[in-house]
Amino acid sequence: MESGCMSTVPDWRSAIAALEEQGRKAFLARDLETLNALWSDELIVNSPINRIHSKERVLALLNEGIISHISYEVDIERIDRLQDLVIVMGGDTVINAPGSRPISRRFTNVWRLENGAWRMFIRHANIAPNLSQSSA
């Protein structure tokens, strides 16, 4: 392998995948400082409970423990870039409390390049009932 040709994955794609993982871990740990840095001040979330929230509201819900998961797994299926925007699509599964059933969702996250840094500024997630049903 030639020097400088270590990967065919564009740097921006690797950066976004790493930010998605950092965000997943921070959300699970309710690490508000990290989330505040990762999220645009203009973040808007269409939540899986059919409510639209601002960044401030989501952080407050996490801080109050109203949003809380014991497990949060993400499967990124697609990452595309359109100039200063990156769209991430896939599915995720959360477990809210011990003994509760996993909830499967579909999501779209949109990242925007702000002052040289990628920050999430749109998130949509919806519960996918056919994916959440147990086969047992």
Side-chain angles (χ1 to χ4, degrees):
M1 180 176 288
E2 292 181 23
S3 176
C5 296
M6 298 288 291
S7 174
T8 59
V9 177
D11 288 343
W12 63 265
R13 188 180 302 268
S14 298
I16 294 295
L19 290 170
E20 284 279 341
E21 178 61 10
Q22 184 180 1
R24 183 194 71 79
K25 289 178 179 178
F27 200 90
L28 189 57
R30 295 193 329 221
D31 178 349
L32 305 183
E33 185 176 335
T34 297
L35 293 172
N36 189 51
L38 289 173
W39 294 348
S40 172
D41 290 339
E42 298 172 351
L43 176 74
I44 189 162
V45 176
N46 192 354
S47 79
I49 60 169
N50 302 316
R51 293 197 180 120
I52 298 172
H53 296 303
S54 66
K55 172 184 179 175
E56 293 77 18
R57 182 67 180 141
V58 176
L59 291 173
L61 291 169
L62 282 164
N63 188 49
E64 296 164 12
I66 294 169
I67 298 175
S68 180
H69 308 307
I70 62 166
S71 176
Y72 179 23
E73 299 301 323
V74 175
D75 178 27
I76 295 173
E77 298 171 18
R78 187 169 181 149
I79 301 177
D80 289 317
R81 182 173 181 177
L82 304 168
Q83 298 175 356
D84 287 348
L85 300 177
V86 173
I87 299 99
V88 180
M89 295 179 161
D92 63 25
T93 303
V94 296
I95 298 175
N96 292 326
S100 66
R101 296 184 126 197
I103 300 169
S104 295
R105 309 179 302 189
R106 301 295 299 163
F107 75 88
T108 301
N109 294 334
V110 180
W111 294 78
R112 177 173 62 186
L113 197 56
E114 296 181 0
N115 300 317
W118 289 107
R119 298 184 79 197
M120 186 189 305
F121 89 108
I122 297 172
R123 176 172 170 82
H124 174 98
N126 62 282
I127 295 173
N130 58 331
L131 300 176
S132 296
Q133 296 174 354
S134 171
S135 60

